[in-house]
Amino acid sequence: MFDILAILLPFFLALCIVAVIRMVVDARLRRRLAETHAGEDMVSALVKADEEARRQSSLKWGLVLTAMGGALCLIDAFDLSVEDPTAFGLLIGFAGLGMLAYHALRRPAPRD
């Protein structure tokens, strides 16, 4: 158990750092737009795009985390341990499948 925590902790720390940096950059951009008296249509377009991106982000990460939960169930069912490369392969493979499922759902339907 502690082995997996030692492996995953740096990844989660990096994700938290990226999230904080992104929030700071977004806040600075909004402040800059307010200072330059950007047009109302430009601000509303940015807010609308940001709202759409957040909604799609929820879908994407929901699919990825659900797929990874399935991978963890398979790892438990096959009684794999941390030393087994198959466990890592299952986790990475299912994360990729979650991203592909998101891409398939987001792709617009072909027009005839």
Side-chain angles (χ1 to χ4, degrees):
M1 177 68 179
F2 291 111
D3 293 337
I4 195 93
L5 288 177
I7 292 170
L8 293 178
L9 191 61
F11 293 116
F12 286 123
L13 179 63
L15 285 174
C16 290
I17 290 171
V18 167
V20 168
I21 290 172
R22 184 171 178 175
M23 284 188 275
V24 168
V25 168
D26 286 345
R28 284 187 181 179
L29 174 66
R30 290 180 182 177
R31 187 183 73 201
R32 185 83 157 161
L33 284 173
E35 288 174 353
T36 59
H37 304 293
E40 193 172 316
D41 56 340
M42 180 182 219
V43 173
S44 67
L46 283 173
V47 168
K48 193 174 191 179
D50 188 38
E51 180 182 323
E52 181 68 21
R54 285 183 190 196
R55 190 171 9 166
Q56 297 306 320
S57 178
S58 297
L59 172 65
K60 174 173 58 176
W61 290 112
L63 286 170
V64 169
L65 291 175
T66 302
M68 291 196 67
L72 289 172
C73 289
L74 284 175
I75 288 171
D76 186 48
F78 293 138
D79 200 27
L80 299 173
S81 68
V82 176
E83 290 84 23
D84 292 323
T86 309
F88 290 107
L90 280 172
L91 284 173
I92 293 169
F94 271 74
L97 287 175
M99 289 293 220
L100 288 173
Y102 168 73
H103 178 69
L105 287 174
R106 284 297 305 143
R107 187 175 39 187
R111 296 181 184 185
D112 291 331

